[in-house]
């Protein structure tokens, strides 16, 4: 795994279980490095889909990637408050300046109201069948989702509005300097 430093601009590559690339983000500026996760920021990042579609993210985001947890968290700083888009995914690795992980379809969407919803259950069921997810993998995925919901309900720091606004301010400051 590559050594990274605060201020490094990495790319993000999301894969599916069959090892096919699913989506790529061109920007993830490293804002913080903790023992078990890294925090990145981006705004209007170029995103390239596997099918070739290209688009840009709409708002600033603070991204959390974990070394040993089966999810990652994207805090989206929208005009009406912070929404969280949480991917159930493998722990990340970094190779050649790229954050890489495998996405396992299930997502947790947390709204500014505090309500949440589990998304893409049918997609997960379909991919589990056609890609032959093992029982161990299925358990890891479901445990990741359960752990994520517990973290949210226990007001974990990663869901702190104040903290995510501070990280975004740090990101904006770093971008102005460059």
């Amino acid at each position: 795994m590559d050594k990274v430093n605060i201020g490094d601009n990495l790319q993000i590559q999301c894969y599916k279980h069959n090892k096919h690339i699913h989506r790529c983000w061109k920007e993830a500026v490293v804002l913080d490095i903790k023992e078990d996760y890294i925090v990145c920021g981006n705004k209007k990042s170029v995103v390239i889909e596997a099918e070739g579609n290209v688009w840009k993210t709409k708002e600033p985001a603070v991204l959390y990637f974990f070394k040993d947890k089966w999810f990652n968290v994207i805090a989206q700083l929208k005009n009406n408050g912070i929404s969280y888009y949480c991917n159930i995914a493998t722990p990340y690795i970094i190779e050649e300046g790229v954050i890489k992980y495998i996405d396992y379809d299930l997502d947790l969407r947390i709204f500014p109201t505090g309500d949440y919803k589990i998304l893409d259950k049918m997609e997960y069921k379909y991919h589990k069948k056609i890609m032959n997810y093992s029982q161990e993998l299925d358990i890891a995925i479901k445990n990741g989702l359960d752990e994520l919901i517990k973290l949210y309900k226990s007001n974990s720091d990663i869901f702190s509005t104040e903290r995510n606004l501070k990280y975004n301010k740090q990101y904006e400051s770093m971008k102005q300097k460059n």
Side-chain angles (χ1 to χ4, degrees), residues 30-67:
V30 179
L31 303 175
D32 203 355
I33 302 167
K34 301 287 190 188
E35 190 175 321
D36 56 342
Y37 64 93
I38 63 169
V39 182
C40 299
N42 67 25
K43 180 179 180 182
K44 297 188 178 175
S45 177
V46 173
V47 180
I48 303 167
E49 303 278 348
E51 303 81 31
N53 301 345
V54 178
W55 52 279
K56 281 188 177 185
T57 59
K58 293 179 184 155
E59 61 272 315
V62 176
L63 307 94
Y64 295 83
F65 295 98
F66 298 87
K67 288 182 182 175

Side-chain angles (χ1 to χ4, degrees), residues 1 23 27 51 60 71 73 84 93 107 109-110 118 132 137 144 146 166-167 172 175:
M1 190 138 61
R23 188 173 287 140
E27 181 190 42
E51 303 81 31
F71 52 82
V73 175
Y84 295 91
I93 61 168
D107 301 307
R109 181 70 155 153
I110 302 169
I118 299 167
N132 298 313
L137 178 59
D146 289 345
K166 185 178 142 234
Y167 275 134
E172 295 289 348
K175 290 300 282 185

Side-chain angles (χ1 to χ4, degrees), residues 71-132:
F71 52 82
N72 56 60
V73 175
I74 304 165
Q76 300 169 310
L77 287 69
K78 298 176 179 271
N79 291 335
N80 65 339
I82 298 179
S83 291
Y84 295 91
Y85 200 92
C86 311
N87 298 293
I88 302 305
T90 59
Y92 79 94
I93 61 168
I94 297 177
E95 293 179 331
E96 299 174 10
V98 179
I99 299 168
K100 298 178 179 182
Y101 64 90
I102 299 171
D103 176 86
Y104 281 102
D105 310 313
L106 291 174
D107 301 307
L108 182 69
R109 181 70 155 153
I110 302 169
F111 302 94
T113 60
D115 296 330
Y116 67 86
K117 184 177 184 179
I118 299 167
L119 306 175
D120 301 328
K121 293 179 194 173
M122 293 305 292
E123 184 181 356
Y124 174 72
K125 203 172 181 179
Y126 173 73
H127 282 145
K128 178 182 169 184
K129 183 176 181 176
I130 67 162
M131 292 188 214
N132 298 313

